[in-house]
Coordinates of all heavy atoms in Angstrom, one line a residue:
M271 N -59.1 -26.2 -61.8 CA -60.2 -26.7 -62.7 C -59.9 -26.3 -64.1 O -59.4 -25.3 -64.4 CB -61.5 -26.1 -62.3 CG -62.7 -26.5 -63.2 SD -64.3 -25.8 -62.8 CE -64.4 -24.7 -64.2
V272 N -60.2 -27.3 -65.0 CA -59.8 -27.1 -66.4 C -61.2 -27.0 -67.2 O -62.1 -27.8 -67.0 CB -59.0 -28.3 -67.1 CG1 -58.9 -28.2 -68.5 CG2 -57.7 -28.3 -66.4
R273 N -61.2 -25.9 -68.0 CA -62.5 -25.8 -68.8 C -62.0 -25.9 -70.2 O -61.1 -25.3 -70.7 CB -63.0 -24.4 -68.5 CG -64.2 -24.1 -69.3 CD -64.8 -22.8 -69.0 NE -64.0 -21.6 -69.5 CZ -64.3 -20.8 -70.4 NH1 -65.6 -20.8 -70.9 NH2 -63.6 -19.8 -70.7
L274 N -62.8 -26.8 -71.0 CA -62.4 -27.0 -72.3 C -63.4 -26.2 -73.2 O -64.5 -26.3 -73.1 CB -62.6 -28.5 -72.7 CG -62.3 -29.1 -74.0 CD1 -60.7 -28.8 -74.3 CD2 -62.6 -30.5 -74.2
V275 N -62.8 -25.4 -74.1 CA -63.5 -24.5 -75.0 C -63.2 -24.9 -76.3 O -62.1 -24.7 -76.8 CB -63.3 -23.0 -74.7 CG1 -64.1 -22.2 -75.7 CG2 -63.5 -22.6 -73.4
A276 N -64.2 -25.3 -77.1 CA -64.0 -25.8 -78.5 C -64.3 -24.6 -79.4 O -64.9 -23.6 -79.0 CB -64.9 -27.0 -78.8
C277 N -63.9 -24.8 -80.7 CA -64.2 -23.7 -81.6 C -65.7 -23.5 -81.8 O -66.5 -24.5 -81.5 CB -63.6 -24.1 -83.0 SG -61.8 -24.2 -83.0
R278 N -66.1 -22.3 -82.2 CA -67.5 -22.1 -82.3 C -68.2 -22.6 -83.5 O -69.3 -22.4 -83.8 CB -67.7 -20.5 -82.3 CG -67.3 -19.9 -81.0 CD -68.2 -20.3 -79.9 NE -67.8 -19.7 -78.6 CZ -67.8 -20.3 -77.5 NH1 -68.0 -21.6 -77.5 NH2 -67.4 -19.8 -76.4
G279 N -67.4 -23.3 -84.4 CA -68.0 -23.8 -85.6 C -66.9 -24.0 -86.6 O -65.8 -23.6 -86.3
P280 N -67.2 -24.7 -87.6 CA -66.1 -24.9 -88.6 C -65.6 -23.6 -89.2 O -66.3 -22.7 -89.5 CB -66.8 -25.8 -89.7 CG -68.3 -25.9 -89.3 CD -68.5 -25.1 -88.1
D281 N -64.3 -23.7 -89.4 CA -63.6 -22.5 -90.0 C -62.4 -23.1 -90.7 O -62.0 -24.2 -90.4 CB -63.3 -21.5 -89.0 CG -63.4 -20.1 -89.6 OD1 -63.2 -19.9 -90.8 OD2 -63.6 -19.1 -88.8
L282 N -61.7 -22.3 -91.4 CA -60.4 -22.7 -92.1 C -59.3 -22.9 -91.0 O -59.3 -22.1 -90.0 CB -59.9 -21.6 -93.1 CG -60.7 -21.4 -94.3 CD1 -60.2 -20.2 -95.1 CD2 -60.6 -22.8 -95.1
P283 N -58.5 -23.8 -91.1 CA -57.3 -23.9 -90.2 C -56.5 -22.7 -90.2 O -56.4 -22.0 -91.2 CB -56.6 -25.2 -90.7 CG -57.5 -26.0 -91.5 CD -58.5 -24.9 -92.1
L284 N -55.8 -22.4 -89.2 CA -55.0 -21.2 -89.1 C -53.9 -21.4 -90.2 O -53.3 -22.4 -90.5 CB -54.2 -21.1 -87.8 CG -55.1 -20.7 -86.5 CD1 -54.3 -20.8 -85.3 CD2 -55.8 -19.4 -86.8
G285 N -53.5 -20.2 -90.9 CA -52.5 -20.3 -91.9 C -53.0 -20.7 -93.2 O -52.2 -20.7 -94.2
V286 N -54.2 -21.1 -93.4 CA -54.7 -21.5 -94.6 C -55.7 -20.5 -95.2 O -56.5 -19.9 -94.6 CB -55.6 -22.8 -94.5 CG1 -56.3 -23.2 -95.9 CG2 -54.7 -23.9 -94.0
G287 N -55.5 -20.1 -96.5 CA -56.4 -19.1 -97.2 C -56.5 -17.8 -96.5 O -57.6 -17.3 -96.1
I288 N -55.3 -17.1 -96.4 CA -55.2 -15.9 -95.5 C -56.1 -14.7 -96.2 O -56.5 -13.8 -95.6 CB -53.9 -15.4 -95.4 CG1 -53.0 -15.1 -96.7 CG2 -53.1 -16.3 -94.5 CD1 -51.7 -14.5 -96.5
A289 N -56.5 -14.9 -97.5 CA -57.3 -13.9 -98.2 C -58.8 -14.2 -98.0 O -59.7 -13.4 -98.3 CB -56.9 -13.8 -99.7
V290 N -59.1 -15.4 -97.5 CA -60.5 -15.8 -97.3 C -60.9 -15.3 -96.0 O -60.2 -15.4 -94.9 CB -60.6 -17.3 -97.4 CG1 -62.1 -17.7 -97.2 CG2 -60.1 -17.8 -98.7
P291 N -62.2 -14.7 -96.0 CA -62.7 -14.2 -94.6 C -62.9 -15.3 -93.7 O -63.2 -16.5 -94.0 CB -64.1 -13.7 -95.0 CG -64.1 -13.5 -96.5 CD -63.1 -14.4 -97.1
R292 N -62.5 -15.1 -92.4 CA -62.6 -16.0 -91.3 C -63.6 -15.5 -90.3 O -63.9 -14.3 -90.2 CB -61.3 -16.2 -90.7 CG -60.2 -16.8 -91.5 CD -58.9 -16.9 -90.8 NE -59.1 -17.7 -89.6 CZ -59.1 -19.0 -89.6 NH1 -58.9 -19.7 -90.7 NH2 -59.2 -19.7 -88.4
G293 N -64.2 -16.3 -89.6 CA -65.1 -16.0 -88.5 C -64.4 -15.4 -87.3 O -63.1 -15.8 -87.0
D294 N -64.9 -14.5 -86.5 CA -64.3 -14.0 -85.3 C -64.9 -14.7 -84.1 O -66.2 -15.0 -84.1 CB -64.6 -12.5 -85.1 CG -63.7 -11.7 -86.1 OD1 -62.6 -12.2 -86.5 OD2 -64.1 -10.5 -86.4
H295 N -64.2 -15.0 -83.0 CA -64.6 -15.7 -81.9 C -64.2 -15.0 -80.6 O -63.0 -14.5 -80.6 CB -64.2 -17.2 -81.9 CG -64.4 -17.9 -83.1 ND1 -65.7 -18.3 -83.5 CD2 -63.6 -18.3 -84.2 CE1 -65.6 -18.9 -84.7 NE2 -64.4 -18.9 -85.1
L296 N -65.0 -14.9 -79.6 CA -64.6 -14.3 -78.4 C -65.0 -15.1 -77.4 O -66.1 -15.5 -77.1 CB -65.3 -12.9 -78.4 CG -65.0 -12.1 -77.1 CD1 -63.6 -11.7 -77.0 CD2 -66.0 -10.8 -77.1
D297 N -64.0 -15.4 -76.5 CA -64.2 -16.2 -75.2 C -63.4 -15.4 -74.1 O -62.2 -15.6 -74.1 CB -63.7 -17.7 -75.4 CG -64.8 -18.6 -75.8 OD1 -65.8 -18.6 -75.0 OD2 -64.6 -19.3 -76.7
P298 N -64.1 -14.8 -73.2 CA -63.4 -14.2 -72.0 C -62.6 -15.3 -71.3 O -63.0 -16.3 -71.1 CB -64.5 -13.6 -71.2 CG -65.8 -13.6 -72.1 CD -65.6 -14.7 -73.0
V299 N -61.4 -14.8 -70.9 CA -60.5 -15.7 -70.1 C -60.2 -15.1 -68.8 O -59.7 -14.0 -68.7 CB -59.2 -16.0 -70.9 CG1 -58.2 -16.9 -70.1 CG2 -59.4 -16.5 -72.3
P300 N -60.6 -15.9 -67.6 CA -60.5 -15.3 -66.3 C -58.9 -15.1 -66.0 O -58.0 -15.7 -66.6 CB -61.0 -16.4 -65.5 CG -61.8 -17.3 -66.3 CD -61.2 -17.1 -67.7
A301 N -58.7 -14.2 -65.1 CA -57.3 -13.9 -64.6 C -56.7 -15.2 -64.1 O -57.4 -16.0 -63.4 CB -57.3 -12.8 -63.6
G302 N -55.4 -15.4 -64.3 CA -54.8 -16.5 -63.9 C -55.0 -17.9 -64.6 O -54.6 -18.9 -64.2
S303 N -55.7 -17.7 -65.7 CA -55.9 -18.9 -66.6 C -54.7 -19.3 -67.5 O -53.9 -18.4 -67.8 CB -57.1 -18.7 -67.6 OG -58.3 -18.4 -66.9
T304 N -54.6 -20.5 -67.8 CA -53.6 -21.0 -68.7 C -54.3 -21.4 -70.0 O -55.3 -22.3 -69.9 CB -52.8 -22.3 -68.1 OG1 -52.2 -21.8 -66.9 CG2 -51.9 -22.8 -69.1
V305 N -54.0 -20.8 -71.1 CA -54.7 -21.1 -72.4 C -53.7 -22.0 -73.2 O -52.5 -21.7 -73.3 CB -54.9 -19.8 -73.1 CG1 -55.5 -20.0 -74.5 CG2 -55.8 -18.9 -72.3
V306 N -54.2 -23.1 -73.6 CA -53.5 -24.0 -74.5 C -54.1 -24.2 -75.9 O -55.3 -24.6 -76.0 CB -53.4 -25.4 -73.8 CG1 -52.6 -26.4 -74.5 CG2 -53.0 -25.4 -72.3
L307 N -53.3 -23.7 -76.7 CA -53.7 -24.0 -78.3 C -52.8 -25.1 -78.8 O -51.6 -25.2 -78.5 CB -53.5 -22.8 -79.0 CG -54.2 -21.4 -78.6 CD1 -53.7 -20.3 -79.3 CD2 -55.7 -21.6 -78.6
F308 N -53.5 -26.1 -79.5 CA -52.7 -27.3 -79.9 C -53.2 -27.8 -81.2 O -54.4 -27.6 -81.6 CB -52.7 -28.3 -78.9 CG -54.1 -28.7 -78.5 CD1 -54.7 -29.8 -79.1 CD2 -54.8 -28.1 -77.5 CE1 -56.0 -30.1 -78.8 CE2 -56.1 -28.5 -77.1 CZ -56.7 -29.5 -77.8
T309 N -52.3 -28.4 -82.0 CA -52.8 -29.2 -83.2 C -53.3 -30.5 -82.8 O -53.1 -31.0 -81.7 CB -51.6 -29.3 -84.2 OG1 -50.6 -30.0 -83.5 CG2 -51.1 -27.9 -84.6
G310 N -54.0 -31.2 -83.8 CA -54.6 -32.5 -83.6 C -53.5 -33.5 -83.1 O -53.9 -34.6 -82.5
G311 N -52.4 -33.4 -83.4 CA -51.3 -34.4 -83.1 C -51.1 -34.6 -81.6 O -50.6 -35.6 -81.1
L312 N -51.7 -33.6 -80.8 CA -51.6 -33.8 -79.3 C -52.8 -34.7 -78.8 O -52.5 -35.3 -77.7 CB -51.7 -32.4 -78.6 CG -51.4 -32.4 -77.1 CD1 -50.0 -32.8 -76.8 CD2 -51.6 -31.0 -76.6
I313 N -53.8 -34.8 -79.5 CA -54.9 -35.5 -79.0 C -55.4 -36.7 -79.9 O -56.2 -37.5 -79.4 CB -56.1 -34.6 -78.7 CG1 -56.5 -33.9 -80.0 CG2 -55.8 -33.6 -77.6 CD1 -58.0 -33.2 -79.9
E314 N -54.9 -36.8 -81.2 CA -55.4 -37.8 -82.1 C -54.4 -39.0 -82.1 O -53.3 -38.8 -82.5 CB -55.6 -37.2 -83.5 CG -56.7 -36.1 -83.5 CD -56.7 -35.4 -84.9 OE1 -56.1 -35.8 -85.7 OE2 -57.7 -34.5 -85.1
L315 N -55.1 -40.1 -82.0 CA -54.3 -41.4 -82.1 C -55.2 -42.3 -82.9 O -56.4 -42.2 -82.7 CB -54.0 -42.0 -80.8 CG -53.0 -41.3 -79.9 CD1 -52.9 -42.0 -78.5 CD2 -51.6 -41.3 -80.5
S316 N -54.6 -43.1 -83.9 CA -55.4 -43.9 -84.7 C -56.3 -44.9 -83.9 O -57.3 -45.4 -84.4 CB -54.6 -44.5 -85.7 OG -53.5 -45.3 -85.0
R317 N -55.7 -45.3 -82.8 CA -56.4 -46.4 -82.1 C -57.5 -45.9 -81.0 O -58.0 -46.7 -80.2 CB -55.4 -47.3 -81.3 CG -54.6 -46.5 -80.3 CD -53.5 -47.4 -79.7 NE -52.7 -46.8 -78.7 CZ -51.7 -46.0 -78.9 NH1 -51.2 -45.8 -80.1 NH2 -51.1 -45.4 -77.9
E318 N -57.8 -44.6 -80.9 CA -58.7 -44.2 -80.0 C -59.5 -42.9 -80.5 O -59.1 -42.3 -81.4 CB -58.0 -43.8 -78.6 CG -57.1 -42.6 -78.7 CD -56.4 -42.4 -77.3 OE1 -56.2 -43.2 -76.5 OE2 -56.0 -41.2 -77.2
S319 N -60.6 -42.6 -79.8 CA -61.4 -41.4 -80.3 C -60.7 -40.1 -79.8 O -59.9 -40.1 -78.9 CB -62.8 -41.6 -79.7 OG -62.8 -41.3 -78.2
I320 N -61.2 -39.1 -80.5 CA -60.7 -37.7 -80.1 C -61.2 -37.4 -78.8 O -60.3 -36.8 -78.0 CB -61.1 -36.7 -81.2 CG1 -60.4 -37.0 -82.5 CG2 -61.0 -35.3 -80.7 CD1 -60.9 -36.0 -83.6
D321 N -62.3 -37.8 -78.4 CA -62.8 -37.5 -77.0 C -61.9 -38.1 -75.9 O -61.6 -37.5 -75.0 CB -64.2 -38.1 -76.8 CG -65.3 -37.3 -77.6 OD1 -65.0 -36.1 -78.0 OD2 -66.4 -37.8 -77.9
T322 N -61.4 -39.3 -76.2 CA -60.5 -39.9 -75.3 C -59.2 -39.2 -75.2 O -58.7 -38.9 -74.1 CB -60.2 -41.3 -75.7 OG1 -61.4 -42.1 -75.7 CG2 -59.2 -42.0 -74.7
G323 N -58.7 -38.7 -76.4 CA -57.5 -37.8 -76.4 C -57.8 -36.4 -75.7 O -56.9 -36.0 -74.9
L324 N -58.9 -35.9 -75.8 CA -59.2 -34.6 -75.1 C -59.2 -34.9 -73.6 O -58.7 -34.1 -72.7 CB -60.5 -34.1 -75.6 CG -60.5 -33.3 -76.9 CD1 -61.9 -33.0 -77.4 CD2 -59.6 -32.1 -76.8
E325 N -59.9 -36.0 -73.2 CA -60.0 -36.3 -71.7 C -58.6 -36.5 -71.1 O -58.3 -36.0 -70.1 CB -60.7 -37.5 -71.5 CG -62.3 -37.4 -71.8 CD -63.0 -38.7 -71.8 OE1 -62.5 -39.8 -71.5 OE2 -64.2 -38.7 -72.2
R326 N -57.7 -37.1 -71.9 CA -56.3 -37.4 -71.4 C -55.6 -35.9 -71.3 O -54.9 -35.7 -70.3 CB -55.6 -38.2 -72.4 CG -54.1 -38.6 -72.0 CD -53.3 -39.5 -72.8 NE -53.4 -38.9 -74.3 CZ -54.1 -39.4 -75.3 NH1 -54.8 -40.5 -75.0 NH2 -54.0 -38.9 -76.5
L327 N -55.7 -35.1 -72.2 CA -55.1 -33.8 -72.2 C -55.7 -33.0 -71.0 O -54.9 -32.4 -70.3 CB -55.4 -33.0 -73.5 CG -54.8 -31.6 -73.6 CD1 -53.3 -31.5 -73.3 CD2 -55.1 -30.9 -74.9
V328 N -57.0 -33.0 -70.8 CA -57.6 -32.2 -69.7 C -57.0 -32.8 -68.4 O -56.6 -32.0 -67.5 CB -59.1 -32.4 -69.6 CG1 -59.7 -31.9 -68.3 CG2 -59.6 -31.6 -70.9
A329 N -56.9 -34.1 -68.3 CA -56.3 -34.7 -67.0 C -54.8 -34.3 -66.8 O -54.4 -33.9 -65.7 CB -56.4 -36.2 -67.1
L330 N -54.1 -34.3 -67.9 CA -52.7 -33.8 -67.8 C -52.6 -32.4 -67.5 O -51.8 -31.9 -66.7 CB -52.0 -34.1 -69.1 CG -51.5 -35.5 -69.5 CD1 -51.1 -35.6 -70.9 CD2 -50.5 -35.9 -68.6
A331 N -53.5 -31.5 -68.1 CA -53.5 -30.1 -67.8 C -53.8 -29.8 -66.3 O -53.1 -29.0 -65.6 CB -54.4 -29.3 -68.6
E332 N -54.8 -30.5 -65.7 CA -55.2 -30.4 -64.3 C -54.0 -30.8 -63.5 O -53.7 -30.1 -62.4 CB -56.3 -31.2 -64.0 CG -57.6 -30.6 -64.5 CD -58.9 -31.5 -64.3 OE1 -58.8 -32.7 -64.2 OE2 -59.9 -30.9 -64.4
E333 N -53.3 -31.9 -63.8 CA -52.3 -32.5 -63.0 C -51.0 -31.5 -63.0 O -50.4 -31.4 -61.9 CB -51.9 -33.8 -63.5 CG -50.7 -34.5 -62.8 CD -50.3 -35.8 -63.4 OE1 -51.0 -36.3 -64.2 OE2 -49.2 -36.3 -63.0
H334 N -50.7 -30.8 -64.0 CA -49.6 -30.0 -64.1 C -49.8 -28.5 -64.2 O -49.0 -27.8 -64.6 CB -48.8 -30.4 -65.4 CG -48.4 -31.8 -65.4 ND1 -47.4 -32.3 -64.5 CD2 -48.8 -32.9 -66.1 CE1 -47.4 -33.6 -64.7 NE2 -48.1 -34.0 -65.7
A335 N -51.0 -28.1 -63.9 CA -51.5 -26.7 -64.0 C -50.7 -25.6 -63.3 O -50.5 -24.5 -63.7 CB -52.9 -26.5 -63.6
D336 N -50.0 -25.9 -62.2 CA -49.2 -25.1 -61.4 C -47.8 -24.9 -61.7 O -47.0 -24.2 -61.1 CB -49.3 -25.5 -59.9 CG -50.8 -25.3 -59.3 OD1 -51.5 -24.4 -59.9 OD2 -51.1 -26.2 -58.5
L337 N -47.4 -25.8 -62.8 CA -46.0 -25.7 -63.2 C -45.7 -24.4 -64.0 O -46.6 -23.8 -64.6 CB -45.7 -26.9 -64.2 CG -45.6 -28.2 -63.6 CD1 -45.4 -29.3 -64.7 CD2 -44.6 -28.3 -62.5
P338 N -44.5 -24.0 -64.0 CA -44.2 -22.8 -64.9 C -44.3 -23.3 -66.4 O -44.5 -24.5 -66.7 CB -42.6 -22.6 -64.7 CG -42.3 -23.3 -63.4 CD -43.3 -24.4 -63.2
L339 N -44.7 -22.2 -67.2 CA -45.1 -22.6 -68.6 C -44.2 -23.6 -69.3 O -44.8 -24.6 -70.0 CB -45.4 -21.4 -69.4 CG -46.6 -20.5 -69.0 CD1 -46.6 -19.3 -69.9 CD2 -47.8 -21.2 -68.9
R340 N -43.0 -23.4 -69.4 CA -42.1 -24.3 -70.1 C -42.2 -25.7 -69.5 O -42.2 -26.7 -70.3 CB -40.6 -23.7 -70.0 CG -39.6 -24.6 -70.8 CD -38.2 -24.2 -70.6 NE -38.1 -22.7 -71.1 CZ -37.7 -22.4 -72.3 NH1 -37.2 -23.3 -73.0 NH2 -37.7 -21.1 -72.6
S341 N -42.3 -25.9 -68.2 CA -42.4 -27.2 -67.6 C -43.8 -27.8 -67.9 O -44.0 -29.0 -68.1 CB -42.2 -27.1 -66.2 OG -40.9 -26.7 -65.9
F342 N -44.8 -27.0 -68.0 CA -46.1 -27.4 -68.3 C -46.2 -28.0 -69.7 O -46.8 -29.1 -70.0 CB -47.1 -26.2 -68.2 CG -48.5 -26.5 -68.6 CD1 -49.5 -27.1 -67.7 CD2 -48.9 -26.3 -69.8 CE1 -50.7 -27.4 -68.0 CE2 -50.3 -26.7 -70.3 CZ -51.2 -27.2 -69.4
V343 N -45.6 -27.2 -70.7 CA -45.5 -27.7 -72.0 C -44.8 -29.1 -72.1 O -45.3 -30.0 -72.8 CB -45.0 -26.7 -73.0 CG1 -44.8 -27.2 -74.4 CG2 -46.0 -25.5 -73.1
R344 N -43.7 -29.1 -71.5 CA -43.0 -30.4 -71.6 C -43.7 -31.5 -70.9 O -43.7 -32.6 -71.4 CB -41.7 -30.2 -70.7 CG -40.7 -31.4 -70.9 CD -39.4 -31.1 -70.3 NE -38.7 -30.0 -71.1 CZ -38.2 -28.8 -70.5 NH1 -38.5 -28.6 -69.2 NH2 -37.6 -28.0 -71.3
A345 N -44.4 -31.3 -69.9 CA -45.3 -32.3 -69.2 C -46.4 -32.9 -70.1 O -46.5 -34.1 -70.3 CB -45.9 -31.8 -67.9
V346 N -47.1 -32.0 -70.7 CA -48.3 -32.5 -71.6 C -47.8 -33.1 -72.9 O -48.4 -33.9 -73.4 CB -49.3 -31.4 -71.9 CG1 -50.0 -30.9 -70.5 CG2 -48.8 -30.2 -72.7
T347 N -46.6 -32.7 -73.4 CA -46.1 -33.3 -74.6 C -45.4 -34.5 -74.3 O -45.5 -35.6 -75.1 CB -45.2 -32.3 -75.4 OG1 -44.2 -31.7 -74.6 CG2 -46.1 -31.1 -76.0
D348 N -44.6 -34.6 -73.3 CA -43.8 -35.8 -73.0 C -44.7 -36.9 -72.5 O -44.4 -38.0 -72.7 CB -42.8 -35.5 -71.8 CG -41.6 -34.8 -72.3 OD1 -41.4 -34.5 -73.4 OD2 -40.8 -34.4 -71.3
C349 N -45.9 -36.6 -72.1 CA -46.9 -37.6 -71.6 C -47.8 -38.0 -72.7 O -48.7 -38.9 -72.5 CB -47.7 -37.2 -70.3 SG -46.7 -36.9 -68.9
H350 N -47.6 -37.4 -73.8 CA -48.4 -37.8 -75.0 C -48.1 -39.1 -75.6 O -46.9 -39.2 -76.1 CB -48.3 -36.7 -76.1 CG -49.0 -36.9 -77.3 ND1 -48.4 -37.3 -78.4 CD2 -50.4 -37.0 -77.6 CE1 -49.3 -37.6 -79.4 NE2 -50.4 -37.3 -79.0
P351 N -49.0 -40.0 -75.8 CA -48.6 -41.4 -76.4 C -48.7 -41.3 -77.9 O -49.5 -41.9 -78.6 CB -49.7 -42.3 -75.9 CG -50.8 -41.4 -75.7 CD -50.3 -40.0 -75.2
S352 N -47.8 -40.6 -78.5 CA -47.8 -40.3 -80.0 C -47.6 -41.5 -80.7 O -46.8 -42.3 -80.4 CB -46.8 -39.3 -80.3 OG -46.7 -39.1 -81.7
D353 N -48.3 -41.6 -81.8 CA -48.0 -42.7 -82.8 C -47.3 -42.2 -84.0 O -47.1 -42.9 -85.0 CB -49.3 -43.4 -83.3 CG -50.3 -42.4 -83.9 OD1 -50.0 -41.2 -84.2 OD2 -51.5 -42.9 -84.2
R354 N -46.8 -41.0 -83.9 CA -45.9 -40.4 -84.9 C -46.6 -40.2 -86.3 O -45.8 -40.0 -87.3 CB -44.6 -41.0 -85.0 CG -43.8 -41.3 -83.7 CD -43.3 -40.0 -83.2 NE -42.5 -40.2 -82.0 CZ -42.6 -39.6 -80.9 NH1 -43.3 -38.5 -80.8 NH2 -41.8 -39.8 -79.9
H355 N -47.9 -40.2 -86.4 CA -48.6 -40.0 -87.6 C -48.9 -38.6 -87.9 O -49.5 -38.3 -89.0 CB -49.8 -41.0 -87.7 CG -49.3 -42.4 -87.9 ND1 -49.7 -43.4 -87.1 CD2 -48.5 -43.0 -88.9 CE1 -49.1 -44.6 -87.5 NE2 -48.5 -44.3 -88.6
D356 N -48.9 -37.8 -86.9 CA -49.4 -36.4 -87.0 C -48.4 -35.5 -86.4 O -47.8 -35.8 -85.4 CB -50.9 -36.3 -86.4 CG -51.6 -35.1 -86.9 OD1 -51.1 -34.3 -87.7 OD2 -52.7 -35.0 -86.4
G357 N -48.3 -34.3 -86.9 CA -47.5 -33.3 -86.3 C -48.0 -32.8 -85.0 O -49.2 -33.0 -84.7
L358 N -47.2 -32.2 -84.2 CA -47.5 -31.7 -82.9 C -47.1 -30.4 -82.7 O -45.8 -30.1 -82.7 CB -46.9 -32.7 -81.8 CG -47.1 -32.4 -80.3 CD1 -48.6 -32.4 -80.0 CD2 -46.4 -33.3 -79.5
A359 N -48.0 -29.4 -82.3 CA -47.6 -28.1 -82.0 C -48.5 -27.6 -80.8 O -49.6 -27.9 -80.7 CB -47.8 -27.1 -83.2
V360 N -47.8 -26.9 -79.8 CA -48.6 -26.5 -78.7 C -48.1 -25.1 -78.4 O -46.9 -24.8 -78.5 CB -48.1 -27.4 -77.4 CG1 -48.9 -26.9 -76.2 CG2 -48.5 -28.8 -77.8
L361 N -49.1 -24.2 -78.2 CA -48.8 -22.8 -77.6 C -49.6 -22.6 -76.4 O -50.8 -22.8 -76.3 CB -49.3 -21.8 -78.8 CG -49.2 -20.4 -78.6 CD1 -47.8 -19.9 -78.3 CD2 -50.0 -19.5 -79.6
V362 N -48.8 -22.2 -75.4 CA -49.4 -21.9 -74.1 C -49.2 -20.5 -73.6 O -48.0 -20.0 -73.8 CB -48.8 -22.9 -73.1 CG1 -49.4 -22.7 -71.8 CG2 -49.0 -24.4 -73.6
A363 N -50.2 -19.9 -73.1 CA -50.1 -18.6 -72.5 C -50.8 -18.6 -71.1 O -51.8 -19.3 -71.0 CB -50.7 -17.5 -73.4
R364 N -50.3 -17.8 -70.2 CA -51.0 -17.6 -68.9 C -51.4 -16.2 -68.8 O -50.6 -15.3 -69.0 CB -50.0 -18.1 -67.9 CG -50.8 -18.3 -66.5 CD -49.9 -19.1 -65.5 NE -50.0 -20.5 -65.8 CZ -49.0 -21.4 -65.7 NH1 -47.9 -21.0 -65.2 NH2 -49.2 -22.6 -66.0
T365 N -52.7 -16.0 -68.4 CA -53.2 -14.6 -68.2 C -52.6 -14.1 -66.8 O -52.5 -14.9 -65.9 CB -54.7 -14.5 -68.3 OG1 -55.2 -15.3 -67.2 CG2 -55.2 -14.9 -69.6
P366 N -52.5 -12.8 -66.7 CA -52.0 -12.2 -65.5 C -53.0 -12.5 -64.4 O -54.3 -12.7 -64.6 CB -52.0 -10.8 -65.7 CG -51.8 -10.5 -67.1 CD -52.5 -11.7 -67.7
T367 N -52.6 -12.5 -63.1 CA -53.5 -12.8 -61.9 C -54.1 -11.6 -61.3 O -55.0 -11.6 -60.6 CB -52.8 -13.6 -60.8 OG1 -51.6 -13.0 -60.5 CG2 -52.4 -14.9 -61.3
G368 N -53.6 -10.4 -61.7 CA -54.1 -9.3 -61.1 C -53.7 -8.0 -61.8 O -53.1 -8.1 -63.0
P369 N -54.0 -6.8 -61.3 CA -53.6 -5.6 -62.0 C -52.1 -5.5 -62.1 O -51.3 -5.9 -61.2 CB -54.0 -4.4 -61.1 CG -55.0 -5.1 -60.1 CD -54.7 -6.5 -60.0
A370 N -51.6 -5.0 -63.3 CA -50.2 -4.9 -63.6 C -49.6 -3.7 -63.0 O -50.2 -2.7 -62.7 CB -49.9 -5.0 -65.1

């Protein structure tokens, strides 16, 4: 199952205005979860809505969730129908499944 968690409200993009106060956000992540952070280039296309792009990403994430991380990233980026108008960055991490 894929759970989509959006930002808690408007804030500065990462890396912008490092001296300006930013909001703190906390979202517990269950064990064994795959966390995907990405730029708009992964979901935004000029010919469709952002919601459609998010739905496509969720479907890809569900389809490839069991792959090793490197293969997972390759799958979601290779299946992206980019129009090459926006940069693309993806950061993926998987939480441990049990006590270390």
Side-chain angles (χ1 to χ4, degrees):
M271 180 177 107
V272 172
R273 180 175 70 116
L274 186 61
V275 178
C277 294
R278 297 290 183 228
D281 212 333
L282 291 174
L284 293 176
V286 174
I288 59 174
V290 178
R292 298 180 54 85
D294 288 336
H295 309 285
L296 177 65
D297 265 307
V299 179
S303 295
T304 301
V305 178
V306 182
L307 304 174
F308 55 91
T309 60
L312 187 61
I313 60 167
E314 294 176 359
L315 293 173
S316 59
R317 63 183 181 272
E318 66 183 24
S319 72
I320 290 177
D321 290 338
T322 300
L324 283 171
E325 290 169 7
R326 182 181 53 254
L327 178 58
V328 167
L330 285 168
E332 286 176 335
E333 180 181 348
H334 302 292
D336 294 329
L337 292 176
L339 291 181
R340 184 178 300 257
S341 299
F342 176 87
V343 171
R344 188 171 294 119
V346 298
T347 56
D348 285 354
C349 294
H350 173 258
S352 175
D353 58 8
R354 306 289 187 225
H355 287 120
D356 200 355
L358 173 65
V360 179
L361 175 65
V362 179
R364 192 164 285 148
T365 61
T367 56

